[in-house]
Amino acid sequence: METQHLHRGRLFDHVHLIVRDLPASRRFYGAVLEAVGVPIGGEGEGYFWADELFVSSRDSDAGLGELTGRHHLAFQAKDEAMVQAFHRAALAAGGTDNGAPGERPYHPGYYAAFAIDPDGNNIEAVYHGPARRSAASVEVTF
């Protein structure tokens, strides 16, 4: 009997998206991944990959003729400027705005932007920074 060893660490080993238009997805993901500091790792006939993200066409060997459903993927950003760069890159590369850069109510300091990719996936860049305090929320004591 063969013994298998599992690596424990990150939650996901990889994510695979099967897309309608591989060149459009390559332009979109190439731009947004560059904005968050992740290079395209490789590509070939019918696919490309970057870190743990694998994207292939429907007619590729990996695609098996079926598109994946709609997903929400969130990329980590090192700061707010990276979130803003992600959003600009996503829109310039054919994405649709789904939420401009800004703090979200999910938890204090959650700064994110959202774009819809060419296949309708909700793609996000998020920075988990310190909570911001707007002028309206600052309490002044005299």
Side-chain angles (χ1 to χ4, degrees):
M1 179 158 112
E2 181 180 332
T3 303
Q4 294 184 353
H5 297 279
L6 297 176
H7 171 71
R8 299 280 184 209
R10 296 185 198 175
L11 178 61
F12 294 105
D13 182 73
H14 67 278
V15 173
H16 182 187
L17 297 177
I18 302 168
V19 299
R20 286 186 311 267
D21 184 343
L22 189 66
S25 291
R26 174 61 177 85
R27 280 190 302 280
F28 178 84
Y29 284 101
V32 300
L33 290 169
E34 180 179 337
V36 297
V38 177
I40 296 295
E43 54 192 307
E45 186 65 35
Y47 72 91
F48 66 90
W49 62 271
D51 201 56
E52 288 87 13
L53 177 63
F54 185 81
V55 180
S56 67
S57 62
R58 179 191 319 217
D59 59 349
S60 69
D61 289 340
L64 302 175
E66 296 293 327
L67 298 173
T68 48
R70 294 202 171 152
H71 297 287
H72 175 179
L73 303 178
F75 299 119
Q76 294 179 16
K78 68 178 180 178
D79 55 27
E80 292 178 6
M82 187 176 271
V83 171
Q84 295 161 6
F86 156 87
H87 193 253
R88 285 191 305 274
L91 300 185
T96 304
D97 180 29
N98 198 33
E103 189 161 359
R104 300 299 196 263
Y106 311 134
H107 68 69
Y110 194 109
Y111 188 89
F114 301 84
I116 302 297
D117 80 357
D119 280 272
N121 295 298
N122 183 22
I123 309 303
E124 172 185 3
V126 58
Y127 168 61
H128 298 281
R132 300 156 76 98
R133 292 176 59 125
S134 68
S137 67
V138 175
E139 189 174 307
V140 179
T141 306
F142 292 97

mmCIF file of all heavy atoms in Angstrom, residues 21-55:
data_model
loop_
_atom_site.group_PDB
_atom_site.id
_atom_site.type_symbol
_atom_site.label_atom_id
_atom_site.label_comp_id
_atom_site.label_asym_id
_atom_site.label_seq_id
_atom_site.Cartn_x
_atom_site.Cartn_y
_atom_site.Cartn_z
ATOM 1 N N ASP A 21 -13.233 32.814 -23.585
ATOM 2 C CA ASP A 21 -12.315 33.546 -24.464
ATOM 3 C C ASP A 21 -10.965 33.643 -23.765
ATOM 4 O O ASP A 21 -10.730 34.558 -22.982
ATOM 5 C CB ASP A 21 -12.906 34.922 -24.757
ATOM 6 C CG ASP A 21 -12.085 35.747 -25.734
ATOM 7 O OD1 ASP A 21 -10.904 35.425 -25.971
ATOM 8 O OD2 ASP A 21 -12.631 36.743 -26.243
ATOM 9 N N LEU A 22 -10.084 32.693 -24.052
ATOM 10 C CA LEU A 22 -8.791 32.643 -23.369
ATOM 11 C C LEU A 22 -7.952 33.899 -23.601
ATOM 12 O O LEU A 22 -7.389 34.426 -22.637
ATOM 13 C CB LEU A 22 -8.014 31.380 -23.760
ATOM 14 C CG LEU A 22 -6.751 31.131 -22.944
ATOM 15 C CD1 LEU A 22 -7.089 30.843 -21.481
ATOM 16 C CD2 LEU A 22 -5.951 29.991 -23.536
ATOM 17 N N PRO A 23 -7.843 34.435 -24.818
ATOM 18 C CA PRO A 23 -7.054 35.664 -24.989
ATOM 19 C C PRO A 23 -7.582 36.842 -24.151
ATOM 20 O O PRO A 23 -6.804 37.600 -23.581
ATOM 21 C CB PRO A 23 -7.136 35.952 -26.489
ATOM 22 C CG PRO A 23 -7.358 34.598 -27.102
ATOM 23 C CD PRO A 23 -8.257 33.876 -26.110
ATOM 24 N N ALA A 24 -8.908 36.987 -24.062
ATOM 25 C CA ALA A 24 -9.482 38.068 -23.239
ATOM 26 C C ALA A 24 -9.151 37.840 -21.769
ATOM 27 O O ALA A 24 -8.800 38.783 -21.052
ATOM 28 C CB ALA A 24 -10.996 38.149 -23.439
ATOM 29 N N SER A 25 -9.251 36.599 -21.319
ATOM 30 C CA SER A 25 -8.913 36.291 -19.925
ATOM 31 C C SER A 25 -7.426 36.485 -19.669
ATOM 32 O O SER A 25 -7.033 36.963 -18.603
ATOM 33 C CB SER A 25 -9.325 34.860 -19.574
ATOM 34 O OG SER A 25 -10.729 34.763 -19.546
ATOM 35 N N ARG A 26 -6.590 36.143 -20.623
ATOM 36 C CA ARG A 26 -5.138 36.323 -20.465
ATOM 37 C C ARG A 26 -4.804 37.799 -20.329
ATOM 38 O O ARG A 26 -3.977 38.195 -19.497
ATOM 39 C CB ARG A 26 -4.410 35.698 -21.665
ATOM 40 C CG ARG A 26 -2.912 35.936 -21.722
ATOM 41 C CD ARG A 26 -2.192 35.364 -20.510
ATOM 42 N NE ARG A 26 -0.764 35.529 -20.593
ATOM 43 C CZ ARG A 26 -0.099 36.632 -20.221
ATOM 44 N NH1 ARG A 26 -0.744 37.674 -19.744
ATOM 45 N NH2 ARG A 26 1.211 36.669 -20.319
ATOM 46 N N ARG A 27 -5.447 38.664 -21.133
ATOM 47 C CA ARG A 27 -5.230 40.114 -21.021
ATOM 48 C C ARG A 27 -5.680 40.614 -19.654
ATOM 49 O O ARG A 27 -4.973 41.358 -18.992
ATOM 50 C CB ARG A 27 -5.977 40.863 -22.120
ATOM 51 C CG ARG A 27 -5.286 40.852 -23.461
ATOM 52 C CD ARG A 27 -5.939 41.806 -24.454
ATOM 53 N NE ARG A 27 -7.362 41.532 -24.688
ATOM 54 C CZ ARG A 27 -7.812 40.582 -25.503
ATOM 55 N NH1 ARG A 27 -6.971 39.815 -26.165
ATOM 56 N NH2 ARG A 27 -9.107 40.413 -25.667
ATOM 57 N N PHE A 28 -6.879 40.200 -19.239
ATOM 58 C CA PHE A 28 -7.436 40.650 -17.957
ATOM 59 C C PHE A 28 -6.560 40.191 -16.792
ATOM 60 O O PHE A 28 -6.107 40.995 -15.984
ATOM 61 C CB PHE A 28 -8.869 40.135 -17.791
ATOM 62 C CG PHE A 28 -9.489 40.507 -16.480
ATOM 63 C CD1 PHE A 28 -10.094 41.743 -16.305
ATOM 64 C CD2 PHE A 28 -9.463 39.633 -15.401
ATOM 65 C CE1 PHE A 28 -10.663 42.095 -15.092
ATOM 66 C CE2 PHE A 28 -10.029 39.979 -14.188
ATOM 67 C CZ PHE A 28 -10.632 41.215 -14.027
ATOM 68 N N TYR A 29 -6.319 38.898 -16.696
ATOM 69 C CA TYR A 29 -5.560 38.383 -15.554
ATOM 70 C C TYR A 29 -4.093 38.790 -15.609
ATOM 71 O O TYR A 29 -3.477 39.018 -14.567
ATOM 72 C CB TYR A 29 -5.726 36.864 -15.422
ATOM 73 C CG TYR A 29 -7.072 36.532 -14.845
ATOM 74 C CD1 TYR A 29 -8.114 36.112 -15.665
ATOM 75 C CD2 TYR A 29 -7.325 36.690 -13.494
ATOM 76 C CE1 TYR A 29 -9.371 35.851 -15.137
ATOM 77 C CE2 TYR A 29 -8.575 36.423 -12.961
ATOM 78 C CZ TYR A 29 -9.590 36.008 -13.789
ATOM 79 O OH TYR A 29 -10.840 35.754 -13.261
ATOM 80 N N GLY A 30 -3.529 38.905 -16.804
ATOM 81 C CA GLY A 30 -2.159 39.400 -16.900
ATOM 82 C C GLY A 30 -2.035 40.787 -16.288
ATOM 83 O O GLY A 30 -1.099 41.073 -15.544
ATOM 84 N N ALA A 31 -3.011 41.655 -16.578
ATOM 85 C CA ALA A 31 -2.991 43.027 -16.066
ATOM 86 C C ALA A 31 -3.237 43.084 -14.562
ATOM 87 O O ALA A 31 -2.502 43.744 -13.828
ATOM 88 C CB ALA A 31 -4.026 43.876 -16.807
ATOM 89 N N VAL A 32 -4.275 42.394 -14.079
ATOM 90 C CA VAL A 32 -4.595 42.509 -12.649
ATOM 91 C C VAL A 32 -3.558 41.799 -11.788
ATOM 92 O O VAL A 32 -3.223 42.270 -10.705
ATOM 93 C CB VAL A 32 -6.030 42.038 -12.298
ATOM 94 C CG1 VAL A 32 -7.057 42.865 -13.047
ATOM 95 C CG2 VAL A 32 -6.240 40.568 -12.532
ATOM 96 N N LEU A 33 -3.029 40.681 -12.269
ATOM 97 C CA LEU A 33 -2.008 39.996 -11.481
ATOM 98 C C LEU A 33 -0.715 40.803 -11.432
ATOM 99 O O LEU A 33 -0.048 40.854 -10.398
ATOM 100 C CB LEU A 33 -1.770 38.589 -12.026
ATOM 101 C CG LEU A 33 -2.929 37.622 -11.786
ATOM 102 C CD1 LEU A 33 -2.734 36.343 -12.593
ATOM 103 C CD2 LEU A 33 -3.095 37.318 -10.314
ATOM 104 N N GLU A 34 -0.369 41.462 -12.529
ATOM 105 C CA GLU A 34 0.803 42.339 -12.504
ATOM 106 C C GLU A 34 0.598 43.448 -11.471
ATOM 107 O O GLU A 34 1.520 43.796 -10.731
ATOM 108 C CB GLU A 34 1.048 42.942 -13.882
ATOM 109 C CG GLU A 34 2.258 43.851 -13.920
ATOM 110 C CD GLU A 34 2.511 44.438 -15.296
ATOM 111 O OE1 GLU A 34 2.059 43.861 -16.300
ATOM 112 O OE2 GLU A 34 3.167 45.486 -15.359
ATOM 113 N N ALA A 35 -0.618 43.984 -11.402
ATOM 114 C CA ALA A 35 -0.909 45.058 -10.451
ATOM 115 C C ALA A 35 -0.765 44.607 -8.997
ATOM 116 O O ALA A 35 -0.436 45.415 -8.133
ATOM 117 C CB ALA A 35 -2.321 45.610 -10.687
ATOM 118 N N VAL A 36 -1.004 43.332 -8.719
ATOM 119 C CA VAL A 36 -0.849 42.831 -7.345
ATOM 120 C C VAL A 36 0.461 42.074 -7.157
ATOM 121 O O VAL A 36 0.655 41.380 -6.158
ATOM 122 C CB VAL A 36 -2.059 41.973 -6.878
ATOM 123 C CG1 VAL A 36 -3.326 42.807 -6.846
ATOM 124 C CG2 VAL A 36 -2.240 40.718 -7.718
ATOM 125 N N GLY A 37 1.372 42.202 -8.114
ATOM 126 C CA GLY A 37 2.709 41.668 -7.948
ATOM 127 C C GLY A 37 2.875 40.176 -8.172
ATOM 128 O O GLY A 37 3.802 39.570 -7.649
ATOM 129 N N VAL A 38 1.972 39.567 -8.960
ATOM 130 C CA VAL A 38 2.063 38.132 -9.232
ATOM 131 C C VAL A 38 2.264 37.942 -10.741
ATOM 132 O O VAL A 38 1.375 38.264 -11.523
ATOM 133 C CB VAL A 38 0.791 37.387 -8.768
ATOM 134 C CG1 VAL A 38 0.870 35.911 -9.126
ATOM 135 C CG2 VAL A 38 0.567 37.576 -7.283
ATOM 136 N N PRO A 39 3.408 37.427 -11.164
ATOM 137 C CA PRO A 39 3.641 37.251 -12.597
ATOM 138 C C PRO A 39 2.925 36.029 -13.153
ATOM 139 O O PRO A 39 2.636 35.071 -12.432
ATOM 140 C CB PRO A 39 5.163 37.045 -12.679
ATOM 141 C CG PRO A 39 5.506 36.410 -11.365
ATOM 142 C CD PRO A 39 4.553 37.023 -10.352
ATOM 143 N N ILE A 40 2.627 36.074 -14.443
ATOM 144 C CA ILE A 40 2.136 34.873 -15.126
ATOM 145 C C ILE A 40 3.284 33.874 -15.076
ATOM 146 O O ILE A 40 4.419 34.178 -15.445
ATOM 147 C CB ILE A 40 1.736 35.180 -16.586
ATOM 148 C CG1 ILE A 40 0.547 36.156 -16.629
ATOM 149 C CG2 ILE A 40 1.430 33.891 -17.356
ATOM 150 C CD1 ILE A 40 -0.746 35.618 -16.046
ATOM 151 N N GLY A 41 2.999 32.664 -14.603
ATOM 152 C CA GLY A 41 4.042 31.664 -14.427
ATOM 153 C C GLY A 41 4.350 30.891 -15.688
ATOM 154 O O GLY A 41 5.474 30.419 -15.883
ATOM 155 N N GLY A 42 3.363 30.741 -16.542
ATOM 156 C CA GLY A 42 3.564 30.004 -17.777
ATOM 157 C C GLY A 42 2.281 29.957 -18.574
ATOM 158 O O GLY A 42 1.210 30.295 -18.078
ATOM 159 N N GLU A 43 2.421 29.550 -19.821
ATOM 160 C CA GLU A 43 1.252 29.422 -20.670
ATOM 161 C C GLU A 43 1.565 28.482 -21.814
ATOM 162 O O GLU A 43 2.729 28.217 -22.115
ATOM 163 C CB GLU A 43 0.772 30.777 -21.182
ATOM 164 C CG GLU A 43 1.802 31.628 -21.885
ATOM 165 C CD GLU A 43 1.296 33.054 -22.071
ATOM 166 O OE1 GLU A 43 0.192 33.229 -22.615
ATOM 167 O OE2 GLU A 43 2.003 33.967 -21.643
ATOM 168 N N GLY A 44 0.527 27.964 -22.398
ATOM 169 C CA GLY A 44 0.668 27.055 -23.518
ATOM 170 C C GLY A 44 -0.607 27.054 -24.324
ATOM 171 O O GLY A 44 -1.493 27.892 -24.105
ATOM 172 N N GLU A 45 -0.717 26.128 -25.232
ATOM 173 C CA GLU A 45 -1.904 26.031 -26.067
ATOM 174 C C GLU A 45 -3.125 25.739 -25.191
ATOM 175 O O GLU A 45 -3.222 24.678 -24.588
ATOM 176 C CB GLU A 45 -1.721 24.908 -27.102
ATOM 177 C CG GLU A 45 -2.848 24.816 -28.106
ATOM 178 C CD GLU A 45 -2.936 26.046 -28.999
ATOM 179 O OE1 GLU A 45 -1.888 26.617 -29.334
ATOM 180 O OE2 GLU A 45 -4.068 26.410 -29.358
ATOM 181 N N GLY A 46 -4.010 26.712 -25.048
ATOM 182 C CA GLY A 46 -5.251 26.503 -24.315
ATOM 183 C C GLY A 46 -5.206 26.791 -22.828
ATOM 184 O O GLY A 46 -6.187 26.532 -22.132
ATOM 185 N N TYR A 47 -4.112 27.363 -22.302
ATOM 186 C CA TYR A 47 -4.065 27.625 -20.858
ATOM 187 C C TYR A 47 -2.987 28.651 -20.504
ATOM 188 O O TYR A 47 -2.096 28.934 -21.296
ATOM 189 C CB TYR A 47 -3.775 26.344 -20.077
ATOM 190 C CG TYR A 47 -2.347 25.865 -20.229
ATOM 191 C CD1 TYR A 47 -1.364 26.275 -19.335
ATOM 192 C CD2 TYR A 47 -1.983 25.027 -21.274
ATOM 193 C CE1 TYR A 47 -0.045 25.864 -19.484
ATOM 194 C CE2 TYR A 47 -0.677 24.614 -21.425
ATOM 195 C CZ TYR A 47 0.293 25.040 -20.526
ATOM 196 O OH TYR A 47 1.586 24.640 -20.676
ATOM 197 N N PHE A 48 -3.093 29.196 -19.296
ATOM 198 C CA PHE A 48 -2.015 29.944 -18.653
ATOM 199 C C PHE A 48 -2.197 29.767 -17.156
ATOM 200 O O PHE A 48 -3.259 29.338 -16.677
ATOM 201 C CB PHE A 48 -1.998 31.431 -19.059
ATOM 202 C CG PHE A 48 -3.186 32.230 -18.601
ATOM 203 C CD1 PHE A 48 -3.200 32.883 -17.370
ATOM 204 C CD2 PHE A 48 -4.302 32.333 -19.418
ATOM 205 C CE1 PHE A 48 -4.297 33.624 -16.960
ATOM 206 C CE2 PHE A 48 -5.407 33.076 -19.018
ATOM 207 C CZ PHE A 48 -5.401 33.726 -17.784
ATOM 208 N N TRP A 49 -1.153 30.068 -16.408
ATOM 209 C CA TRP A 49 -1.229 29.932 -14.950
ATOM 210 C C TRP A 49 -0.375 30.989 -14.279
ATOM 211 O O TRP A 49 0.566 31.521 -14.872
ATOM 212 C CB TRP A 49 -0.831 28.530 -14.485
ATOM 213 C CG TRP A 49 0.586 28.145 -14.808
ATOM 214 C CD1 TRP A 49 1.028 27.534 -15.949
ATOM 215 C CD2 TRP A 49 1.736 28.342 -13.992
ATOM 216 N NE1 TRP A 49 2.383 27.335 -15.895
ATOM 217 C CE2 TRP A 49 2.841 27.829 -14.701
ATOM 218 C CE3 TRP A 49 1.947 28.906 -12.738
ATOM 219 C CZ2 TRP A 49 4.141 27.869 -14.191
ATOM 220 C CZ3 TRP A 49 3.235 28.939 -12.235
ATOM 221 C CH2 TRP A 49 4.316 28.429 -12.954
ATOM 222 N N ALA A 50 -0.733 31.277 -13.046
ATOM 223 C CA ALA A 50 0.019 32.202 -12.201
ATOM 224 C C ALA A 50 -0.178 31.755 -10.761
ATOM 225 O O ALA A 50 -1.312 31.658 -10.287
ATOM 226 C CB ALA A 50 -0.490 33.627 -12.369
ATOM 227 N N ASP A 51 0.924 31.420 -10.107
ATOM 228 C CA ASP A 51 0.876 30.953 -8.717
ATOM 229 C C ASP A 51 -0.124 29.804 -8.631
ATOM 230 O O ASP A 51 0.046 28.811 -9.320
ATOM 231 C CB ASP A 51 0.560 32.118 -7.777
ATOM 232 C CG ASP A 51 0.994 31.850 -6.351
ATOM 233 O OD1 ASP A 51 2.185 31.563 -6.136
ATOM 234 O OD2 ASP A 51 0.136 31.915 -5.456
ATOM 235 N N GLU A 52 -1.190 29.939 -7.846
ATOM 236 C CA GLU A 52 -2.162 28.856 -7.698
ATOM 237 C C GLU A 52 -3.389 28.995 -8.599
ATOM 238 O O GLU A 52 -4.356 28.260 -8.456
ATOM 239 C CB GLU A 52 -2.631 28.736 -6.238
ATOM 240 C CG GLU A 52 -1.590 28.166 -5.313
ATOM 241 C CD GLU A 52 -0.664 29.227 -4.742
ATOM 242 O OE1 GLU A 52 -0.973 30.427 -4.867
ATOM 243 O OE2 GLU A 52 0.383 28.871 -4.200
ATOM 244 N N LEU A 53 -3.374 29.943 -9.519
ATOM 245 C CA LEU A 53 -4.498 30.143 -10.434
ATOM 246 C C LEU A 53 -4.160 29.519 -11.787
ATOM 247 O O LEU A 53 -3.149 29.851 -12.402
ATOM 248 C CB LEU A 53 -4.791 31.632 -10.611
ATOM 249 C CG LEU A 53 -5.907 31.982 -11.600
ATOM 250 C CD1 LEU A 53 -7.249 31.428 -11.140
ATOM 251 C CD2 LEU A 53 -5.979 33.487 -11.794
ATOM 252 N N PHE A 54 -5.009 28.607 -12.256
ATOM 253 C CA PHE A 54 -4.856 27.960 -13.551
ATOM 254 C C PHE A 54 -6.085 28.319 -14.375
ATOM 255 O O PHE A 54 -7.220 28.134 -13.909
ATOM 256 C CB PHE A 54 -4.751 26.434 -13.374
ATOM 257 C CG PHE A 54 -4.468 25.693 -14.637
ATOM 258 C CD1 PHE A 54 -3.180 25.608 -15.138
ATOM 259 C CD2 PHE A 54 -5.490 25.083 -15.336
ATOM 260 C CE1 PHE A 54 -2.906 24.922 -16.314
ATOM 261 C CE2 PHE A 54 -5.233 24.386 -16.516
ATOM 262 C CZ PHE A 54 -3.938 24.312 -17.000
ATOM 263 N N VAL A 55 -5.881 28.849 -15.583
ATOM 264 C CA VAL A 55 -6.985 29.262 -16.442
ATOM 265 C C VAL A 55 -6.823 28.547 -17.777
ATOM 266 O O VAL A 55 -5.749 28.574 -18.381
ATOM 267 C CB VAL A 55 -6.995 30.793 -16.649
ATOM 268 C CG1 VAL A 55 -8.153 31.212 -17.553
ATOM 269 C CG2 VAL A 55 -7.066 31.517 -15.302
#
